[in-house]
Amino acid sequence: MLEIIDLTKKYKKLTAVDALNLTIKDGEFFGLLGPNGAGKTTTVRMISTLTPKTSGDIVIGGESIDRNLTSIKAKIGVVPQQNNLENEMSAWENLEVHGMLYKMPKEKRRQKIDEMLEFTELTDRKDDLTKNFSGGMKRKLMIARALLHEPELLLLDEPTVGLDASARRKMWDLLKRLKSNGLTVLLTTHYIEEAEVLCDRVGLIDKGKLLRLDTPNNLIEEVGKITVEYFADGKTHEEFFPTREKANEYAGSLEGDVRIRPSNLEDVFLKFTNRRVES
């Protein structure tokens, strides 16, 4: 569905994305995981054609974005990190305008609006101005809008940023329903649990470079399934082990507070970059 070939973006002396190569299969829920400033949003903006690439190629559904930009845009749905809804319009009006921009026939457009409002559980609020919506409701409406024209690829750029824990969990349920429907999704996030819960595969990105690419479980096993965390010399240290027995043996040799826990994707990132994802 999506093939990224030597994709590079430079801003004068800064290389935001550095020769990125990535293939996302049809129907895959793929996560691009990394800290703020790693190049995630820049990558999404290039795929969505909002930011011109410096070099490389992006192929969506077998078609390069360099050949038919109009056709490519129709295949993509985008949920940006920042809210870009029309706050003085109702939820229904926001969707109506989007459908008209994509030249959807009136009958089909109205049908899809009703479907998307029901899918995102916003039917009861369809006539309310979006400026009165909560953060979670605005995110849901942005997803409804992105899906309205039936894209083949959905780009989600930090879709739960700024939401409280309860709203984030509700958003995950919505995204799980998308996943079960077989839509191809590219998600960028710096929330570790989000990537582990939702993604079939994840790519770890830092300073514009792709460091690792695999399923969450395979990446965790590569580092070690069990983490021993301890405090010494004024900072927290982590050591990784394939089994709890080996972790227990090592922990027994340490003094002070020691924590033994299952490893996660943040441990993987820490191992390869020596810094945390949320830094």
Side-chain angles (χ1 to χ4, degrees):
M1 168 52 66
L2 173 64
E3 187 176 6
I4 297 172
I5 306 165
D6 291 330
L7 185 62
T8 299
K9 180 61 180 180
K10 294 184 177 181
Y11 296 97
K12 295 182 180 179
K13 294 182 179 181
L14 172 66
T15 300
V17 177
D18 192 356
L20 181 64
N21 287 281
L22 178 64
T23 299
I24 298 176
K25 297 173 287 186
D26 189 26
E28 185 174 23
F29 202 117
F30 186 91
L32 203 55
L33 178 66
N36 294 329
K40 305 186 302 296
T41 294
T42 302
T43 299
V44 167
R45 287 183 62 84
M46 286 190 285
I47 296 170
S48 63
T49 75
L50 293 175
T51 294
K53 56 188 174 61
T54 301
S55 61
D57 198 8
I58 300 167
V59 180
I60 299 175
E63 190 172 16
S64 170
I65 64 170
D66 292 333
R67 294 175 185 167
N68 191 336
L69 200 57
T70 301
S71 173
I72 289 292
K73 286 183 176 180
K75 295 179 179 181
I76 302 171
V78 183
V79 179
Q81 187 174 146
Q82 301 297 326
N83 171 26
N84 62 353
L85 297 167
E86 293 294 336
N87 287 321
E88 297 299 327
M89 290 185 179
S90 68
W92 193 92
E93 289 168 338
N94 268 274
L95 298 180
E96 173 80 343
V97 169
H98 182 83
M100 293 173 68
L101 289 172
Y102 277 84
K103 299 180 180 179
M104 296 176 67
K106 182 178 180 179
E107 184 176 343
K108 182 178 181 180
R109 184 173 74 237
R110 300 286 171 85
Q111 177 186 345
K112 289 297 297 183
I113 288 174
D114 288 340
E115 287 178 9
M116 288 301 98
L117 287 170
E118 182 177 356
F119 177 72
T120 53
E121 300 176 339
L122 291 174
T123 300
D124 292 344
R125 300 293 300 273
K126 67 179 182 179
D127 296 322
D128 293 352
L129 297 182
T130 57
K131 68 179 181 181
N132 298 322
F133 281 11
S134 67
M137 291 174 62
K138 289 177 180 177
R139 291 286 176 183
K140 284 184 176 183
L141 183 57
M142 290 167 69
I143 290 174
R145 183 185 60 184
L147 294 172
L148 187 68
H149 63 282
E150 299 180 325
E152 298 175 23
L153 172 67
L154 180 64
L155 305 176
L156 298 171
D157 189 16
E158 302 277 5
T160 63
V161 69
L163 301 184
D164 61 34
S166 176
R168 185 176 300 134
R169 295 280 177 171
K170 291 178 181 178
M171 185 61 66
W172 289 357
D173 288 341
L174 175 60
L175 298 180
K176 285 177 183 177
R177 294 206 300 273
L178 281 179
K179 182 177 180 178
S180 67
N181 290 341
L183 181 67
T184 305
V185 178
L186 171 58
L187 164 78
T188 74
T189 184
H190 64 262
Y191 293 119
I192 300 301
E193 189 179 0
E194 189 161 278
E196 291 179 338
V197 166
L198 296 172
C199 298
D200 300 312
R201 287 190 304 153
V202 295
L204 305 183
I205 188 172
D206 189 33
K207 299 177 182 177
K209 288 183 175 292
L210 191 65
L211 306 178
R212 283 292 191 280
L213 174 65
D214 211 328
T215 66
N217 284 340
N218 286 348
L219 287 170
I220 290 169
E221 287 189 3
E222 181 181 352
V223 167
K225 293 191 289 185
I226 304 297
T227 297
V228 175
E229 195 173 80
Y230 63 97
F231 188 78
D233 302 322
K235 62 179 180 179
T236 300
H237 301 263
E238 292 91 0
E239 296 292 340
F240 309 105
F241 299 90
T243 65
R244 184 167 288 275
E245 289 75 19
K246 290 184 179 294
N248 288 337
E249 182 181 344
Y250 178 77
S253 68
L254 300 173
E255 296 181 357
D257 293 334
V258 178
R259 181 185 177 201
I260 301 174
R261 57 171 175 79
S263 301
N264 58 40
L265 284 177
E266 184 163 12
D267 297 314
V268 175
F269 198 89
L270 182 67
K271 178 74 172 180
F272 293 127
T273 68
N274 201 32
R275 69 184 186 127
R276 296 188 179 277
V277 174
E278 294 186 8
S279 63

